Amino acid sequence: MNKPKILVARAIFPETIARLEQHFDVEHNQADTPWSKQQLAQKLADKVGAFTTGSERIDAEVLEAAPQLRICANMAVGYNNFDVDAMTARGVLATNAPDVLTETTADFGFALLMATARRITESEHYLRAGKWDRWSYDMFAGSDIHGSTLGILGMGRIGQVIARRGAHGFGMNVIYHNRSRLAPDLEAACKARYVDKEELLRTADHLVLVLPYSPSSHHTIGARELSLMKPTANLVNIARGGIVDDAALAEALRAGTIAAAGLDVFEGEPRLNPALLTVPNVVLTPHIASATMPTRLAMADLAADNLIGFLVNGKPLTALNPQVLKK
Ligand code: GLV
């Protein structure tokens, strides 16, 4: 019997390809060749499933070219590369990869927060450039983490474990803002206090962004919001590019409106606003918050489990538009 045809859009773990091949006729891209949107659409023309990584845009135009497509499984918790409404309208199931990356991503949020607050990369560049000739009392003086106020915008799974690290590990006073307030037992476990967005911006010493991207969260942090923050504050974005107005942030960093920023995600990445490269008080990483090999493997496994679960057994694990299953 012919196996169902699926597409794996980017290079992934060979063992994941081998697992998928037990169930499917797999067209893969282990050479990691960049495909245009048209090429992606052409390759999907005869496929029932797609394994995507968050870089591939699945919208009405692509779906139009893929009449047999039944599921797209994202190897990412974020899914702003999917037009979920268009997928639902066409009866295409969307799945993402939550939970398996929560702790790893929170670790990285803290790494970026600490590197930013304590000016790790800026001081390393100075040292590597051979500029360190003597000690001075205020050399690369940063801001304290212990005992400071940690603000979290977006209090989903990742926000909650960042709160726990801050409160329990560093004795931070944790405040948060979210579309909806946490249940009291969760707030207590996170030792986090709910505040409105304005208080969050005005009070946080370190503000970590962990909210999902959608048109309504576009430029949640722009010039006005930055102007409300303390001049000593640090901003950390491990959420998505586009949540921060990067041009306004570069200007705020240059002008001293806030002290520093740590950014793992950028508007229009992998390109980034060149102004961010010209300010010293920013730590920049290339969207690697979930990048440990065990976590990336768990994410790939979950995307594969969704494809197998749905196409073979009719039961996906993490459906984003479960109404498609009822049709
Ligand atoms: C990474 O950014 C993800 O959404 O998994």
Side-chain angles (χ1 to χ4, degrees), residues 54 57 74 78-83 213-214 240-241:
R57 177 93 189 127
N74 229 23
Y79 51 89
N80 52 306
N81 56 316
F82 287 170
D83 180 338
Y213 180 84
S214 69
R240 271 293 182 274

Side-chain angles (χ1 to χ4, degrees), residues 75-79 97 101 238-240 265 287 290 299:
M75 182 188 149
V77 65
Y79 51 89
L101 47 53
I238 54 166
R240 271 293 182 274
V265 288
H287 202 148
S290 65
M299 293 164 72

Side-chain angles (χ1 to χ4, degrees), residues 108 111-123 125 234-238 249 253 259-266 272 276-277 279-286:
F108 189 84
L112 204 47
L113 189 161
M114 295 181 77
T116 303
R118 299 304 307 272
R119 304 175 66 180
I120 302 281
T121 54
E122 197 185 344
S123 59
H125 288 154
N234 297 317
L235 177 72
V236 172
N237 187 6
I238 54 166
L249 175 60
L253 290 167
L263 308 173
D264 188 47
V265 288
F266 305 89
L272 59 152
L276 286 172
L277 297 173
V279 282
N281 45 343
V282 61
V283 179
L284 307 167
T285 52

Side-chain angles (χ1 to χ4, degrees), residues 137-153:
Y137 76 95
D138 61 349
M139 190 165 69
F140 294 107
S143 53
D144 273 324
I145 295 155
H146 71 276
S148 66
T149 296
L150 170 63
I152 302 176
L153 187 56

Side-chain angles (χ1 to χ4, degrees), residues 228-255:
L228 297 178
M229 292 174 69
K230 294 179 180 177
T232 49
N234 297 317
L235 177 72
V236 172
N237 187 6
I238 54 166
R240 271 293 182 274
I243 288 176
V244 175
D245 176 344
D246 285 348
L249 175 60
E251 175 52 25
L253 290 167
R254 200 196 51 74

Side-chain angles (χ1 to χ4, degrees), residues 20-172:
L20 290 168
E21 280 175 338
Q22 290 172 14
H23 304 276
F24 307 118
D25 177 353
V26 180
E27 178 175 352
H28 59 68
N29 183 13
Q30 290 299 79
D32 220 17
T33 307
W35 291 335
S36 67
K37 193 171 174 188
Q38 284 69 28
Q39 285 169 315
L40 176 69
Q42 272 163 16
K43 288 181 184 292
L44 286 173
D46 61 347
K47 306 295 186 300
V48 294
F51 182 119
T52 52
T53 62
S55 321
E56 297 76 40
R57 177 93 189 127
I58 305 292
D59 59 13
E61 196 186 325
V62 170
L63 295 168
E64 181 69 34
Q68 301 181 43
L69 196 62
R70 295 179 56 214
I71 173 173
C72 290
N74 229 23
M75 182 188 149
V77 65
Y79 51 89
N80 52 306
N81 56 316
F82 287 170
D83 180 338
V84 178
D85 289 342
M87 292 171 78
T88 306
R90 286 202 161 253
V92 176
L93 188 73
T95 65
N96 67 338
D99 299 321
V100 290
L101 47 53
T102 300
E103 297 287 347
T104 297
T105 303
D107 285 348
F108 189 84
F110 244 90
L112 204 47
L113 189 161
M114 295 181 77
T116 303
R118 299 304 307 272
R119 304 175 66 180
I120 302 281
T121 54
E122 197 185 344
S123 59
E124 192 195 348
H125 288 154
Y126 170 89
L127 182 150
R128 283 180 186 270
K131 294 182 182 166
W132 186 29
D133 53 3
R134 61 195 189 126
W135 178 90
S136 84
Y137 76 95
D138 61 349
M139 190 165 69
F140 294 107
S143 53
D144 273 324
I145 295 155
H146 71 276
S148 66
T149 296
L150 170 63
I152 302 176
L153 187 56
M155 200 59 155
R157 290 167 279 230
I158 298 171
Q160 289 172 38
V161 295
I162 288 176
R164 287 172 195 243
R165 278 164 177 70
H168 298 285
F170 288 87
M172 296 170 96

Side-chain angles (χ1 to χ4, degrees), residues 195-312:
V195 294
D196 64 28
K197 189 175 157 197
E198 178 131 349
E199 184 177 345
L200 186 84
L201 292 166
R202 288 189 191 281
T203 318
D205 295 309
H206 310 282
L207 177 61
V208 182
L209 308 178
V210 222
L211 62 163
Y213 180 84
S214 69
S216 63
S217 63
H218 185 74
H219 287 187
T220 295
I221 303 293
R224 192 191 86 83
E225 289 74 21
L226 291 161
S227 74
L228 297 178
M229 292 174 69
K230 294 179 180 177
T232 49
N234 297 317
L235 177 72
V236 172
N237 187 6
I238 54 166
R240 271 293 182 274
I243 288 176
V244 175
D245 176 344
D246 285 348
L249 175 60
E251 175 52 25
L253 290 167
R254 200 196 51 74
T257 310
I258 64 169
L263 308 173
D264 188 47
V265 288
F266 305 89
E267 287 190 279
E269 64 185 47
R271 288 176 300 282
L272 59 152
N273 188 315
L276 286 172
L277 297 173
T278 65
V279 282
N281 45 343
V282 61
V283 179
L284 307 167
T285 52
H287 202 148
I288 55 168
S290 65
T292 67
M293 289 307 253
T295 292
R296 286 282 162 89
L297 184 58
M299 293 164 72
D301 274 344
L302 181 49
D305 287 342
N306 272 310
L307 286 164
I308 298 164
F310 179 56
L311 291 173
V312 179

